[in-house]
Amino acid sequence: MSAGPNGQPSGRDLAHAALEAAKAKAKERGAPPNLRRGRITGGGGQNPRRRRWSGAGADARDPQPLGRLVSRLVADSGWQDTMTNARVFGQWARLVGEDVAEHAQPVSLKDGELTVRASSTAWATQLRLLQGKLLAKIAAGVGHGVVKRMRIQGPTAPSWRKGPLHVRGRGPRDTYG
């Protein structure tokens, strides 16, 4: 131990003595010497309203990746089912393939039933034949149990009903010939 000009230990020796005292106190407490109390909460014994800076360790106030924040928001708000359903619509072309997605669009997803509208009656028939394979592809891409069954609709026919008033009957088609 080196002594300073007035006979007191100085610098490095003081730091070493303080470290040894802290290790002895931690050992007496039964905790590992390198574990600080309050590290997880970030404040230790301090008042959290007074401490405005973040230390060297991980803290809840540190910048977080956007994906992690959105995942936490979704989980806290209970939006997991809504987000999973939205993935079916957002990734439709990747899930079923470009050729099928060109001729079929998802309309709604309620209680595990996906309603799909085809561009023609031929494509509606083709989708009915491919329904098992499409359900397997969707389950592999989004998760099992999200889409349990599919309801396939053909294109909608044009409506002859115009305006708020309507007369029952065949309408303008009865004068065609």
Side-chain angles (χ1 to χ4, degrees):
M1 223 188 230
S2 63
N6 57 1
Q8 298 288 331
S10 64
R12 188 173 175 180
D13 296 328
L14 283 174
H16 185 65
L19 177 63
E20 291 302 320
K23 284 183 180 181
K25 189 174 182 182
K27 193 173 198 179
E28 176 183 307
R29 191 171 65 228
N34 58 354
L35 181 68
R36 291 184 182 176
R37 289 183 294 162
R39 173 61 83 176
I40 295 171
T41 60
Q46 296 177 359
N47 184 351
R49 287 180 276 149
R50 290 202 57 183
R51 184 174 172 196
R52 301 275 186 226
W53 49 271
S54 177
D59 194 351
R61 298 172 294 168
D62 289 342
Q64 301 289 319
L66 183 62
R68 184 181 304 158
L69 292 174
V70 171
S71 297
R72 190 178 307 147
L73 175 68
V74 167
D76 292 346
S77 301
W79 297 340
Q80 289 95 347
D81 294 337
T82 305
M83 291 298 290
T84 305
N85 292 351
R87 286 179 59 201
V88 173
F89 290 89
Q91 299 175 359
W92 178 251
R94 186 183 64 78
L95 291 172
V96 298
E98 291 292 330
D99 54 341
V100 174
E102 186 177 332
H103 297 284
Q105 294 298 319
V107 177
S108 67
L109 177 59
K110 292 180 185 171
D111 299 327
E113 182 177 65
L114 177 66
T115 304
V116 178
R117 178 165 294 130
S119 61
S120 67
T121 54
W123 268 100
T125 304
Q126 185 69 20
L127 290 174
R128 287 184 188 102
L129 294 173
L130 292 173
Q131 187 171 0
K133 290 181 181 178
L134 292 177
L135 285 171
K137 284 182 176 181
I138 292 170
V142 179
H144 295 285
V146 176
V147 178
K148 298 172 188 163
R149 59 193 170 279
M150 291 176 70
R151 193 169 96 206
I152 299 168
Q153 299 175 340
T156 57
S159 173
W160 292 97
R161 188 174 190 166
K162 307 281 191 262
L165 302 176
H166 179 70
V167 177
R168 296 177 60 102
R170 286 188 47 126
R173 292 177 298 270
D174 63 352
T175 59
Y176 282 173

